[in-house]
Amino acid sequence: QKEVEQDPGPLSVPEGAIVSLNCTYSNSAFQYFMWYRQYSRKGPELLMYTYSSGNKEDGRFTAQVDKSSKYISLFIRDSQPSDSATYLCASNAGGTSYGKLTFGQGTILTVHP
Amino acid sequence: NAGVTQTPKFRVLKTGQSMTLLCAQDMNHEYMYWYRQDPGMGLRLIHYSVGEGTTAKGEVPDGYNVSRLKKQNFLLGLESAAPSQTSVYFCASSRPTDSNQPQHFGDGTRLSIL
């Protein structure tokens, strides 16, 4: 079993929809949680970063972490065609882990006009 | 702003051939990482380096070697390529961190082994 599990989708939604992307993790040592966005034929880029449990909002994007249930979520409001990409959740244990990330499988999202 | 540059972008190899993938970063980052990305598997860490002259194994190191002779460069070598190593390889770098610095990724090397 992977330490970070993510439904690969694909997920297709109409423009303007609210998108919910989710991951679960099994390693209790994970403290830092990220969402990366990856466009086709490109490298991942950091979208959101959260420490421990709680919410973080940035424009149309909201990241949530519930450490009690080991659940990570990303919400996209008013989705746009430009949001079409693969979304990867990632976690890190902090401390002496040297920034090493454990990624989920990635969810392919398509927002159609 | 070049950021992280990977060379080459595409390559086709025959089984048993060797090759080296080059990663260069111009951000003066201490940490560098090599990942492979396969369908349905996400990104998996192959090797990483926390400084010039130091390397360490990640989750899937078998069949690969790395070197970090210069701070800005991180090389990934395949000594005897196998079809199972067909993948997209990503290099990333970050500042020294316990975790809260983002990793900056290159755009990948697409490698096919026949």
Side-chain angles (χ1 to χ4, degrees):
Chain A
Q1 182 189 4
K2 285 176 66 66
E3 286 188 302
V4 179
E5 294 280 357
Q6 184 176 5
D7 185 345
L11 186 61
S12 180
V13 301
E15 183 175 356
I18 296 175
V19 176
S20 174
L21 303 170
N22 306 292
C23 294
T24 59
Y25 66 94
S26 58
N27 189 340
S28 298
F30 286 155
Q31 300 181 54
Y32 298 87
F33 305 92
M34 299 93 175
W35 283 94
Y36 280 80
R37 178 175 61 194
Q38 184 179 22
Y39 290 116
S40 180
R41 301 265 176 190
K42 293 292 187 180
E45 57 179 344
L46 183 66
L47 187 62
M48 298 284 286
Y49 154 77
T50 310
Y51 171 68
S52 192
S53 284
N55 294 359
K56 186 170 186 178
E57 188 173 322
D58 184 2
R60 296 184 294 109
F61 299 89
T62 300
Q64 286 185 352
V65 176
D66 182 347
K67 290 192 73 178
S68 63
S69 59
K70 296 187 175 65
Y71 204 76
I72 312 164
S73 299
L74 177 71
F75 298 96
I76 307 174
R77 292 182 299 278
D78 188 26
S79 56
Q80 302 295 309
S82 59
D83 294 328
S84 298
T86 298
Y87 290 80
L88 299 148
C89 60
S91 300
N92 175 283
T96 58
S97 64
Y98 301 112
K100 291 181 294 179
L101 296 176
T102 300
F103 283 88
Q105 295 93 321
T107 299
I108 301 171
L109 172 66
T110 301
V111 181
H112 51 86
Chain B
N1 285 344
V4 177
T5 302
Q6 292 185 233
T7 310
K9 296 189 187 308
F10 305 94
R11 187 73 184 267
V12 178
L13 289 179
K14 293 181 180 179
T15 298
Q17 287 185 317
S18 63
M19 80 161 295
T20 300
L21 280 64
L22 172 64
C23 176
Q25 52 96 2
D26 62 1
M27 297 171 283
N28 202 34
H29 285 168
E30 289 290 336
Y31 292 2
M32 296 187 74
Y33 312 85
W34 275 108
Y35 294 90
R36 60 178 289 173
Q37 186 174 32
D38 303 292
M41 300 294 291
L43 279 86
R44 292 181 291 169
L45 183 64
I46 304 171
H47 285 280
Y48 65 101
S49 168
V50 300
E52 184 177 319
T54 70
T55 63
K57 294 180 180 180
E59 179 186 355
V60 288
D62 294 343
Y64 305 95
N65 56 75
V66 289
S67 64
R68 182 100 181 267
L69 299 180
K70 294 183 179 181
K71 184 178 182 179
Q72 64 268 33
N73 295 338
F74 195 26
L75 278 62
L76 178 71
L78 287 73
E79 289 188 348
S80 179
S84 60
Q85 294 177 304
T86 293
S87 187
V88 182
Y89 291 86
F90 287 98
C91 176
S93 70
S94 73
R95 291 161 61 181
T97 176
D98 58 351
S99 65
N100 62 347
Q101 293 292 327
Q103 291 189 14
H104 298 262
F105 285 81
D107 283 337
T109 294
R110 284 155 183 79
L111 183 61
S112 292
I113 309 202
L114 306 177

